[in-house]
Amino acid sequence: MHDTRRTRVVLGVLLVLALVLITFDYRDGSSGPMHGLRQGGGAVFGTVERVVSAATGPLFGGSHSGSSSQVTALQQQVIRLREQLSQAQLSRAQYGQLTQLLQLSGRGGYRIVAATVIAIAEGYGQTVTLDAGGADGVKQGDTVLDGQGLVGTVTAVNGQTSTVLLATDATSVVGVTLASSGQIGWVTGPGKTAGSGLLRLQVLDASAVLRPGQQLVTSASVHDRPYVPGVPVGVVSKVENRAGSLTSLALVRPYVDFSSLGVVGIVVVPPSHNPRFSVLPPAPPKPKPVPTVTVTVTPGAQPTPTPSTTTGG
């Protein structure tokens, strides 16, 4: 009975440990990267398997066939728990981000390595660290995107991690093309000092007509570095043409929410052809005309309503 009781205790501890890990992963999916959790779970259960084998082997060897079968069943249970833990790595939010990422990269023909943001730089610069590096095929100058659009470009790589300069950094310059007109220009990041988070657009043609609602994608770069073509960048939100300016100016609201970056994709193989504007989300609808009535009052006569149409904004 002593051996059976000890086996049950070990089994109970393993089950509780596994359930705690799985529950923690579901409730707090944003607290750690998928890669790190995957490694941690494997290390924990791998160690448990070795401890179980070492601790129970001498106790249940020889003629105790029933106890040996219990140990075998226990080891199989540990393996099943490891599989459950691996499947539980993605939280609901991360699963949604990954799904959108795969859809966008599929439409654009981008071959990507999925990664997770594991650190955000402090200080003036705007960079993040990802849990994918040279061992995963990542190189300096690779484009980084998520399920909404452009995130930035890889600026440093080591074996297991990489550093990404965000498109919102003050030193970031991204060549862009306007979907409506094909005009080319570039956007620069606002940096941390600007609270709006809007990118600043400049178009080469000073006579170009810019309007709110125009969509932008990345232009083709030499050898597809630092940016592959066709990645959604943002939408013009405000035009700021200035007298005497040699270029047309506007503010652009990026598609990506840089305050909640999670699962991203690093483009390791560019598309075989330029996707141009095929990856863009549907353009925002144009305002519908709103009927109004103008009342004309003539002295000594009844007011006369005159229907007219204006554009709602």
Side-chain angles (χ1 to χ4, degrees):
M1 294 300 295
H2 175 72
D3 292 346
T4 301
R5 187 181 307 113
R6 185 167 183 171
T7 302
R8 290 176 178 175
V9 170
V10 173
L11 176 59
V13 171
L14 290 176
L15 291 175
V16 170
L17 176 61
L19 291 174
V20 167
L21 288 173
I22 292 173
T23 303
F24 174 77
D25 182 67
Y26 271 118
R27 292 184 177 179
D28 197 13
S30 63
S31 64
M34 293 178 291
H35 183 68
L37 286 175
R38 195 160 46 243
Q39 287 183 332
V44 169
F45 284 106
T47 303
V48 169
E49 286 179 324
R50 290 192 293 271
V51 171
V52 169
S53 298
T56 58
L59 293 173
F60 304 109
S63 61
H64 299 282
S65 58
S67 297
S68 298
S69 63
Q70 280 187 311
V71 173
T72 300
L74 174 61
Q75 292 174 332
Q76 293 175 347
Q77 178 69 14
V78 170
I79 293 174
R80 288 194 294 270
L81 291 173
R82 288 183 63 183
E83 293 176 350
Q84 293 174 15
L85 180 64
S86 177
Q87 295 171 358
Q89 298 308 309
L90 286 178
S91 67
R92 291 182 179 179
Q94 289 173 326
Y95 180 79
Q97 292 174 355
L98 180 60
T99 300
Q100 293 177 330
L101 172 63
L102 294 176
Q103 292 173 346
L104 186 146
S105 59
R107 293 197 305 270
Y110 311 120
R111 187 179 301 177
I112 64 169
V113 169
T116 306
V117 175
I118 59 175
I120 301 175
E122 298 180 358
Y124 182 74
Q126 291 190 300
T127 62
V128 295
T129 302
L130 307 180
D131 62 351
D136 305 292
V138 179
K139 298 181 179 63
Q140 185 174 349
D142 285 347
T143 304
V144 181
L145 44 78
D146 70 2
Q148 306 301 320
L150 180 70
V151 172
T153 183
V154 175
T155 55
V157 181
N158 61 31
Q160 304 301 325
T161 64
S162 54
T163 301
V164 177
L165 179 72
L166 301 181
T168 52
D169 187 85
T171 65
S172 172
V173 180
V174 182
V176 296
T177 303
L178 274 71
S180 57
S181 62
Q183 295 281 350
I184 60 174
W186 63 93
V187 293
T188 55
K192 288 187 175 181
T193 56
S196 66
L198 300 179
L199 309 176
R200 183 170 294 276
L201 168 67
Q202 298 186 58
V203 178
L204 292 177
D205 186 356
S207 63
V209 178
L210 299 178
R211 298 182 305 276
Q214 290 177 302
Q215 298 174 294
L216 286 71
V217 300
T218 53
S219 298
S221 302
V222 178
H223 304 303
D224 296 305
R225 295 175 183 275
Y227 300 106
V228 295
V231 180
V233 175
V235 180
V236 174
S237 63
K238 182 180 180 182
V239 178
E240 288 190 336
N241 288 333
R242 298 174 183 172
S245 175
L246 298 178
T247 58
S248 297
L249 306 174
L251 297 179
V252 174
R253 186 171 302 281
Y255 285 118
V256 171
D257 182 0
F258 288 92
S259 65
S260 61
L261 291 175
V263 178
V264 301
I266 307 169
V267 181
V268 293
V269 178
S272 57
H273 64 279
N274 188 340
R276 292 185 60 77
F277 312 121
S278 61
V279 188
L280 280 170
K286 296 181 179 179
K288 296 181 178 180
V290 178
T292 60
V293 176
T294 303
V295 179
T296 303
V297 179
T298 303
Q302 293 292 331
T304 304
T306 303
S308 62
T309 302
T310 59
T311 301

